[in-house]
Amino acid sequence: MPEIDAMDSVNAIKVSIVGGAGYVGLVTGIGLAEVGHQVTCVDICADKIEKLKRGSSPISEPGLEGLLQKNMGAGRLSFTSDLEKGIPPAEIVFIAVGTPAKDDGAADLSQVIQVTEDLVRHLQGYTVIAIKSTVPVGTVELVESILRRHKREGEEFDIVSNPEFLREGYGLYDFFHPDRIVIGARSERARQLMHELYEPIIYRTVKGVYDDAADARDPVPVIDTDLASAQMIKYASNAFLAARISFINEIAALCERVGADIKEVAKGMGYDPRIGRTYLDAGLGFGGPCLEKDLRALIKIAENNHCPVSLLRAVLERNEQQVREVIAKVKQLAGYLLYKKIITVFGLTFKANTSDIRNSLSLRVIEQLDHEGALVRAYDPVALCEVRSLHPELVLSEDPYEALIHADVLVILTDWPQFLELDYARIKQLMASPCIVDARNLLDPAEMRAYGFRYCSIGRAGV
Ligand code: UDX
């Protein structure tokens, strides 16, 4: 991320972000401070707030810590765990707390409800309450009714739905280069304030950010819409992305049967502008904290509204099947019985360039291998600490080569570019039998076979 200078000319708006030490809240807070607004991040997690006050980020995201320190130093960004200090005199209060999945897949709104009840006592003058958290249609109205019930005499507020589309590992990039900004609102006054807030982003005037060809582009599209549509845009986008992945994984399975190569097929499809090439990488399926959770929540919303959604259910089922298909490939190479076989797993995060292991499909694969009696060892270039604290039972290795000594099968589960740099001739010598299941299509099949590996990937000719 290049060095950025805050806008001198921006009309600084006072913003508070509740849930401001979480991923979405923190990236949004730092981004808004960077464009010149006056931001306070409020979070119940005192440990994270203390860390942030020392200028240290609790999440690893390229460029984030630099901008954190810069904006704190410039007096535009502060942190507190005390709502009473953090809310007034904000003109816009973002709610960016988590909405984890309940057992039945529905979004758990307890944090959203709790912070709404807590923050209302501290509002001063006219305030826009902007919901960033991904919430089902109807939640905004619920928040509004809580605010109305508890608000003090003379206080005025409006509600806005302003969903985020940040990808982990690219959070700041996505903040400064959004494909679109969605603003769901009933009130013109609130809508105008939100436009003012995002003006430097919309017109791409943040210094230092648009050094590439991007600065020649048109303004960022702003979708001014109603509250319900804004919330649905977020769910429908994530469900569509999930559907692309399930679709390409299903086509990959078919490619294996008919001798086609999924990489060639995705490339050929991607030239059609109606389809596009991104988000068509066959692999282990979609993991992480958002896609599956939001898809399940959308299915629950449909159930609650008596709307059949067989396609959405199939997207989810296909993703679950993908883990089983990878296990089947490991069995095929290991001679079908996994009992006491040494299986080395590379990659524990849900995708490359993050240390996040939430809802990582790698952990599901490991659980399944363990269930089959395999002796699993795991290596990851960044997430060993996270995994060790949450799964102390796993055998982890700090060194990829050490993890492979006498291994029967190597299974690659995350597309870390570091795995491309390894010495595969040495790996072959270390393993008991030279077998690789590449569940991310990271390596070159011909090269691996030339080294003498039995090599299996997704949607390409096997073994
Ligand atoms: C996603 C959305 O992209 C973002 O817009 C939303 O706000 C939050 O959820 P993120 O969870 O960070 O972002 O990950 P993303 O990069 O979208 O990948 C999700 C999962 O899909 C990963 O497990 C990834 O490995 C997998 N994936 C992605 C594929 O298997 N194939 C692809 O072609 C793309």
Side-chain angles (χ1 to χ4, degrees):
M1 168 105 0
E3 182 64 20
I4 305 169
D5 294 315
M7 303 287 298
D8 305 322
S9 56
V10 78
N11 174 19
I13 294 174
K14 297 185 199 73
V15 179
S16 291
I17 302 188
V18 185
Y23 182 81
V24 171
L26 187 58
V27 173
T28 305
I30 291 175
L32 288 174
E34 183 57 34
V35 306
H37 298 300
Q38 191 66 42
V39 179
T40 308
C41 289
V42 195
D43 204 291
I44 196 171
C45 181
D47 286 353
K48 285 188 187 170
I49 290 292
E50 283 316 309
K51 200 169 177 194
L52 284 160
K53 279 182 178 169
R54 294 193 300 271
S56 170
S57 170
I59 57 169
S60 84
E61 189 68 27
L64 199 71
E65 207 160 78
L67 289 194
L68 164 75
Q69 290 162 4
K70 178 183 162 194
N71 283 286
M72 284 174 78
R76 287 188 297 268
L77 179 64
S78 60
F79 296 91
T80 177
S81 45
D82 184 351
L83 273 182
E84 194 174 347
K85 289 193 187 129
I87 299 295
E91 296 158 84
I92 300 177
V93 175
F94 278 99
I95 295 182
V97 294
T99 51
K102 292 197 283 194
D103 288 346
D104 65 355
D108 178 353
L109 300 175
S110 53
Q111 291 183 55
V112 174
I113 292 168
Q114 186 64 56
V115 298
T116 306
E117 286 174 353
D118 292 345
L119 73 82
V120 65
R121 282 176 283 131
H122 307 298
L123 300 181
Q124 274 181 12
Y126 175 73
T127 316
V128 168
I129 312 290
I131 317 278
K132 266 264 173 242
S133 308
T134 304
V135 291
V137 178
T139 309
V140 171
E141 288 76 1
L142 175 71
V143 168
E144 195 171 26
S145 72
I146 297 171
L147 289 169
R148 292 221 182 285
R149 211 170 330 125
H150 294 282
K151 87 180 176 82
R152 288 175 301 178
E153 197 62 31
E155 298 302 341
E156 259 190 288
F157 69 86
D158 276 312
I159 289 267
V160 162
S161 169
N162 174 221
E164 55 78 27
F165 301 94
L166 309 173
R167 293 164 303 164
E168 282 194 26
Y170 301 88
L172 275 179
Y173 180 89
D174 288 348
F175 181 84
F176 292 116
H177 301 83
D179 302 311
R180 73 297 209 191
I181 292 174
V182 176
I183 301 175
R186 274 193 294 265
S187 135
E188 260 327 293
R189 186 178 178 186
R191 198 182 290 288
Q192 259 177 28
L193 192 58
M194 293 301 287
H195 273 254
E196 239 177 84
L197 181 81
Y198 284 119
E199 199 174 273
I201 307 281
I202 297 170
Y203 295 103
R204 306 180 197 275
T205 52
V206 190
K207 286 184 209 159
V209 169
Y210 309 106
D211 298 339
D212 49 25
D215 54 356
R217 285 189 297 169
D218 293 337
V220 173
V222 179
I223 318 300
D224 278 312
T225 187
D226 59 276
L227 290 166
S229 302
Q231 294 158 82
M232 274 305 280
I233 287 171
K234 169 69 191 207
Y235 276 113
S237 300
N238 273 359
F240 188 77
L241 292 173
R244 280 179 77 98
I245 297 170
S246 280
F247 177 87
I248 204 70
N249 283 336
E250 192 148 297
I251 297 296
L254 200 47
C255 282
E256 284 172 23
R257 308 300 191 280
V258 302
D261 181 328
I262 192 64
K263 285 215 165 183
E264 294 295 306
V265 173
K267 186 171 148 194
M269 289 168 65
Y271 280 108
D272 184 332
R274 293 169 301 175
I275 298 174
R277 174 61 188 89
T278 57
Y279 242 78
L280 278 185
D281 290 325
L284 180 58
F286 52 86
C290 292
L291 291 194
E292 186 182 331
K293 173 178 81 81
D294 291 353
L295 180 60
R296 284 185 191 279
L298 188 57
I299 292 171
K300 195 71 198 161
I301 293 167
E303 263 175 29
N304 292 343
N305 287 281
H306 313 290
C307 179
V309 283
S310 53
L311 179 63
L312 297 182
R313 288 182 203 284
V315 170
L316 198 56
E317 272 164 31
R318 175 70 231 185
N319 206 47
E320 281 158 5
Q321 188 181 326
Q322 202 63 11
V323 169
R324 293 194 290 274
E325 295 211 353
V326 169
I327 299 289
K329 286 174 194 286
V330 178
K331 283 184 171 172
Q332 187 195 345
L333 291 190
Y336 293 97
L337 253 191
L338 292 182
Y339 184 70
K340 291 252 193 263
K341 293 273 166 64
I342 299 177
I343 312 291
T344 299
V345 162
F346 275 7
L348 297 166
T349 54
F350 80 93
K351 63 175 186 179
N353 302 316
T354 176
S355 59
D356 199 341
I357 55 164
R358 284 177 297 167
N359 196 29
S360 168
L361 297 181
S362 302
L363 298 174
R364 280 193 223 168
V365 171
I366 291 175
E367 199 180 303
Q368 194 56 41
L369 292 170
D370 186 58
H371 187 71
E372 301 264 350
L375 304 171
V376 182
R377 295 179 195 157
Y379 166 75
D380 188 278
V382 303
L384 291 177
C385 268
E386 282 82 354
V387 179
R388 198 169 280 128
S389 57
L390 284 172
H391 299 278
E393 74 287 358
L394 284 184
V395 179
L396 302 176
S397 186
E398 303 277 344
D399 179 81
Y401 298 106
E402 183 195 81
L404 283 161
I405 295 171
H406 303 315
D408 292 291
V409 184
L410 162 63
V411 192
I412 297 179
L413 296 176
T414 309
D415 49 345
W416 282 110
Q418 286 89 327
F419 300 155
L420 290 167
E421 308 303 322
L422 295 172
D423 177 350
Y424 282 89
R426 182 175 167 201
I427 287 176
K428 180 166 180 271
Q429 296 305 320
L430 292 171
M431 294 180 72
S433 55
C435 297
I436 299 179
V437 174
D438 177 1
R440 293 289 185 175
N441 288 349
L442 194 65
L443 305 172
D444 177 30
E447 201 183 320
M448 290 303 120
R449 283 183 203 118
Y451 277 120
F453 285 102
R454 294 176 72 217
Y455 173 85
C456 241
S457 52
I458 307 290
R460 303 185 292 179
V463 193

